[in-house]
Amino acid sequence: MGVLRVEKEVPSAVAPSRLFKALNDSHNLLPKIAPQTIKSIDILQGDGGVGTVKLLKFAGGGDYQQTKQRIDAFDEANLTGKYTTYEGDGILKLAEKSEYDIKIVDSGNGGSIFKFVAEIHVNDDKLVNEAYIKESEEQGLGLFKLLDAYLLANPNLYA
């Protein structure tokens, strides 16, 4: 078993605190703004804080049907969080779990920079190729861009 690590920084025109609040409310927001990708996000246990487990169901068939996500850390003061995805399909058919560390920082121009590190704990390094990881990365980036555009179009949301 190995660990594949992906690091990204994505700029946003949305203020850090608004972006963090929106990401924390993704179970309500993402199915609404991206129904072609996210069918539903249900809270299976918890209140949205540390220890909360969510079931994400994806729309459109394909390799991704559903996965569970657990919130491992949540720090609203420092705009950081950590979560783990597990028991799913898509890339999780080839991995035990994926762990994500996120941080949102002020960009200095009224917006923010969304920083994340993903560590995918793969069962067999040879089964997960660059194309598969790139596809997963692009899907996540696409959702982030939809979220960013929605917040820009609705400036009072999460203000």
Side-chain angles (χ1 to χ4, degrees):
M1 182 156 102
V3 177
L4 299 172
R5 185 178 170 95
V6 177
E7 294 183 41
K8 283 281 185 202
E9 291 188 6
V10 185
S12 170
V14 177
S17 62
R18 280 187 68 216
L19 186 57
F20 191 78
K21 288 175 188 174
L23 288 170
N24 189 48
D25 193 38
S26 64
H27 58 281
N28 289 315
L29 193 55
L30 287 180
K32 178 180 173 181
I33 67 171
Q36 71 282 4
T37 305
I38 304 289
K39 185 176 180 179
S40 65
I41 302 176
D42 299 314
I43 294 179
L44 300 179
Q45 75 180 54
D47 60 4
V50 174
T52 294
V53 176
K54 300 176 184 181
L55 177 65
L56 289 77
K57 292 184 181 177
F58 301 100
D63 282 344
Y64 292 89
Q65 298 296 317
Q66 67 180 29
T67 189
K68 287 184 180 175
Q69 179 188 80
R70 182 185 63 241
I71 299 173
D72 300 316
F74 177 81
D75 185 343
E76 192 168 0
N78 292 305
L79 306 179
T80 61
K82 182 173 182 162
Y83 63 94
T84 302
T85 58
Y86 61 100
E87 291 182 15
D89 37 33
I91 200 164
L92 288 175
K93 286 190 278 190
L94 307 173
E96 174 190 336
K97 63 183 176 182
S98 297
E99 297 176 325
Y100 302 87
D101 281 302
I102 65 165
K103 182 173 187 161
I104 301 171
V105 297
D106 193 318
S107 65
N109 63 4
S112 55
I113 300 171
F114 176 67
K115 299 179 176 189
F116 77 90
V117 175
E119 291 187 346
I120 305 158
H121 296 256
V122 296
N123 299 323
D124 184 345
D125 293 1
K126 296 174 200 81
L127 295 176
V128 179
N129 62 34
E130 288 294 320
Y132 207 78
I133 291 174
K134 184 122 178 105
E135 177 187 344
S136 295
E137 211 175 292
E138 287 173 3
Q139 288 174 345
L141 186 57
L143 280 175
F144 182 81
K145 288 181 179 180
L146 276 173
L147 174 69
D148 194 53
Y150 188 79
L151 291 174
L152 288 172
N154 295 279
N156 294 325
L157 194 60
Y158 304 107

